[in-house]
Amino acid sequence: MKFRFQRKYLCIPYLAFLILFVIIPIFIIIYYAFTDANGFFSMNAFVDFFTSPVKVNVLLVSIFIGIQTTLICLLIGYPLSYFLANKKFNKNVVLVMLFVMPMWINFVLRTGATRDVLFWLGINGGRYPYLATMIGMVYNFLPFVILPLYTTMLKIDQSQVEAALDLGASPMRAFFKAVVPQTTPGIVSAAMMVFMPTMSSYVISDTLSEGKISLFGNTIYLNFSNSQWNTGSFMALIMLVIIGILMFVTRNANVKAEDRARGTGLW
């Protein structure tokens, strides 16, 4: 029988990758999260986590720092992206590359360099652990906000802005009614690209705060390092649940944003 190549065969490498590196690891995490050291079904990890004030506090602190980092990055990155995407102000792609280039440098090297600069400025982790951590978070994740927002703003339909101005809207009202709705998908993508890595990050907080601030990623790493597979897996499962909830929420937000961008409910 002669073999005939079909386009559906192109999905085989992707399917194999999905099974080996996504589905199987998730099942392994679920297995360890709900078993004990002997491999029997157990809810000990569940009870241990939710009855431990320290672990719950780490989760809440991580969520707070994640939200704060996301908001600061958006407040800084949104006007920067608008400036970079507007051809009236920026006609050179080099400026965009200057903001994206830090992502080309190794993550650990960037964090170490940030620590040295902050120490030179007198903001060391021993005296100002929270401030040093926040500066490091914003510096490292700001490019992840600028890039999706920049690419989204390049696609803005300027005719909607012009129509709003022609109909008597003020520049500020035209911005919030015509520009912001069109950039909502970029805002959502940027928020996702900052919030989750912030929560799971442990290099930045551990290095810049000199171990005084422990995030959720730190705790998971310490559990796995100490061979506490069940507790570490349950905490990793919590991260997966949070990611799933955020993906569901942001998907609905993107659908509504697309409807607004088409002009439904624009005025």
Side-chain angles (χ1 to χ4, degrees):
M1 182 177 177
K2 187 177 180 180
F3 175 78
R4 296 184 60 185
F5 178 80
Q6 300 181 21
R7 286 193 299 176
K8 64 181 180 180
Y9 296 146
L10 294 174
C11 70
I12 293 177
Y14 171 76
L15 184 62
F17 178 87
L18 189 67
I19 293 173
L20 290 174
F21 298 103
V22 178
I23 297 177
I24 292 178
I26 288 176
F27 275 107
I28 293 175
I29 289 174
I30 295 174
Y31 169 77
Y32 277 106
F34 294 103
T35 55
D36 56 18
N38 299 316
F40 296 107
F41 176 78
S42 173
M43 297 291 289
N44 289 339
F46 176 89
V47 175
D48 178 65
F49 178 82
F50 286 105
T51 56
S52 172
V54 175
K55 293 177 182 177
V56 174
N57 182 66
V58 169
L59 176 60
L60 295 177
V61 169
S62 300
I63 292 174
F64 175 75
I65 291 180
I67 293 174
Q68 194 170 20
T69 303
T70 303
L71 291 176
I72 294 174
C73 286
L74 286 173
L75 288 174
I76 298 174
Y78 195 95
L80 276 175
S81 302
Y82 187 75
F83 169 80
L84 294 172
N86 195 322
K87 295 182 179 179
K88 293 181 180 179
F89 307 115
N90 177 32
K91 298 181 180 180
N92 198 333
V93 187
V94 175
L95 286 177
V96 181
M97 298 303 298
L98 289 176
F99 287 99
V100 178
M101 279 176 62
M103 291 192 295
W104 299 353
I105 305 173
N106 182 274
F107 188 78
V108 179
L109 293 177
R110 292 203 312 266
T111 305
T114 305
R115 178 192 57 192
D116 295 338
V117 172
L118 291 178
F119 184 82
W120 179 73
L121 294 173
I123 309 174
N124 60 76
R127 296 179 59 188
Y128 308 101
Y130 183 79
L131 178 60
T133 300
M134 289 303 303
I135 292 175
M137 290 289 186
V138 173
Y139 167 70
N140 278 279
F141 293 114
L142 184 59
F144 293 95
V145 168
I146 293 176
L147 193 57
L149 283 174
Y150 171 75
T151 55
T152 303
M153 288 178 178
L154 287 175
K155 304 173 185 177
I156 290 179
D157 185 4
Q158 293 295 336
S159 62
Q160 293 190 13
V161 182
E162 294 171 0
L165 294 173
D166 291 340
L167 291 172
S170 64
M172 186 65 67
R173 183 173 177 82
F175 175 80
F176 282 104
K177 289 293 184 178
V179 176
V180 174
Q182 294 186 74
T183 58
T184 301
I187 295 173
V188 173
S189 299
M192 283 288 292
M193 293 177 67
V194 173
F195 180 74
M196 293 312 303
T198 300
M199 282 192 62
S200 59
S201 172
Y202 65 89
V203 174
I204 298 176
S205 60
D206 193 52
T207 302
L208 298 183
S209 71
E210 298 182 9
K212 292 186 177 181
I213 293 181
S214 181
L215 298 182
F216 210 59
N218 296 66
T219 310
I220 295 174
Y221 168 74
L222 290 174
N223 276 282
F224 284 134
S225 298
N226 296 324
S227 299
Q228 297 176 351
W229 307 108
N230 307 103
T231 304
S233 296
F234 183 78
M235 295 182 70
L237 185 61
I238 291 177
M239 284 287 297
L240 290 175
V241 171
I242 294 174
I243 292 173
I245 294 173
L246 288 176
M247 289 181 66
F248 176 78
V249 173
T250 53
R251 180 179 177 275
N252 291 336
N254 278 331
V255 171
K256 293 178 181 179
E258 289 175 359
D259 291 339
R260 288 197 299 268
R262 294 191 190 101
T264 57
L266 183 60
W267 311 114

